[in-house]
């Protein structure tokens, strides 16, 4: 085989290897799109349109930096790249304060949903918990999302964020407890509202 032919074969092999690598990356983005988009949405506290823009930016960065021989778990790597991208953009941005207090907001939601089907109540609960989650610090949200959506181990999260393993465990526990408390508050407030409605209805009955 001539040197020219060897170079041609070499270029073809290199191109095929790159196409194969790109395809592996595409598969991860296809399979994990919902988790990636959800992580972007909550890390950036953004709109759907902004999330889509960041998603495309993430794909471009991953494509440029992807080196198949040095990456074992491609899914975890993508989420680590996403964390770095988010930290560069909004890592030091404090969560926006909501105009309504959390109790006032909850009262409003409960009043609007006390007589609607369970499916709507589930959506209302989800909205309320999303608002509670959005008020957490960037690092609290990041640790929770890297674990829940990215499926990273605590050791991987520690390496990704630069936090100690103890800090990662502490932040994860704190966030889970905060969301559990918020869920209980929603349930108890809804129960109280329904009890009040029931008592008012009974008081109006004619004996």
């Amino acid at each position: 085989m001539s040197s020219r032919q060897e170079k041609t074969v070499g270029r073809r092999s290199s191109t095929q290897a790159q196409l194969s690598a790109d395809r592996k990356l595409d598969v991860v983005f296809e399979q994990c799109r919902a988790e990636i988009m959800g992580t972007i949405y909550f890390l950036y506290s953004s709109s759907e349109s902004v999330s889509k823009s960041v998603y495309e930016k993430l794909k471009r960065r991953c494509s440029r930096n992807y080196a198949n021989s040095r990456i074992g778990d491609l899914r975890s790597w993508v989420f680590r790249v996403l964390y770095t991208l988010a930290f560069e953009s909004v890592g030091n941005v404090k969560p926006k304060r909501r105009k309504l207090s959390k109790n006032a907001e909850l009262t409003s939601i409960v009043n609007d949903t006390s007589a609607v089907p369970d499916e709507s109540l589930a959506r209302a609960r989800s909205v309320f918990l999303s608002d509670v989650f959005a008020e957490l610090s960037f690092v609290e949200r990041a640790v929770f999302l890297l674990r829940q959506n990215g499926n990273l181990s605590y050791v991987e999260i520690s390496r990704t964020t630069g936090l100690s393993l103890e800090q990662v465990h502490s932040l994860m526990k704190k966030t889970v407890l905060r969301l559990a408390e918020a869920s209980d508050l929603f349930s108890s407030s809804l129960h109280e509202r329904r009890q009040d409605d029931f008592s008012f209805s009974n008081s109006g009955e004619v004996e």
Side-chain angles (χ1 to χ4, degrees), residues 11-132:
R11 284 196 296 269
R12 286 177 180 171
S13 298
S14 177
T15 300
Q16 289 174 349
Q18 184 60 45
L19 287 174
S20 176
D22 287 343
R23 181 55 192 153
K24 289 179 181 178
L25 195 57
D26 287 340
V27 169
V28 171
F29 274 91
E30 289 167 4
Q31 293 179 341
C32 304
R33 179 179 173 83
E35 290 86 352
I36 293 172
M37 287 293 288
T39 302
I40 292 172
Y41 182 85
F42 285 110
L43 276 186
Y44 282 76
S45 298
S46 62
S47 64
E48 185 175 346
S49 61
V50 171
S51 297
K52 289 180 179 178
S53 175
V54 174
Y55 180 84
E56 294 302 322
K57 184 177 181 180
L58 173 66
K59 288 184 69 174
R60 291 193 296 270
R61 177 173 290 197
C62 286
S63 182
R64 287 197 305 268
N65 297 337
Y66 181 37
N68 189 43
S69 61
R70 295 199 299 270
I71 299 173
D73 187 341
L74 191 54
R75 173 192 169 122
S76 295
W77 177 76
V78 168
F79 276 89
R80 293 199 299 271
V81 175
L82 171 53
Y83 170 82
T84 301
L85 191 65
F87 184 81
E88 292 170 354
S89 300
V90 297
N92 294 318
V93 177
K94 293 183 179 180
K96 294 180 180 178
R97 289 199 167 199
R98 303 187 64 81
K99 294 180 180 179
L100 290 177
S101 69
K102 192 54 60 182
N103 285 336
E105 181 185 7
L106 178 56
T107 299
S108 176
I109 292 175
V110 168
N111 287 343
D112 290 341
T113 61
S114 58
V116 297
D118 289 342
E119 184 178 346
S120 296
L121 285 174
R123 286 198 298 269
R125 181 190 295 273
S126 178
V127 168
F128 178 70
L129 292 179
S130 294
D131 287 343
V132 171

Side-chain angles (χ1 to χ4, degrees), residues 16-17 26 40 51 55 91 106 137 150 156 170-171 173 179 195:
Q16 289 174 349
D26 287 340
I40 292 172
S51 297
Y55 180 84
L106 178 56
S137 70
E156 287 176 317
S170 177
L171 287 171
K173 182 178 180 180
L179 294 175
Q195 287 292 103

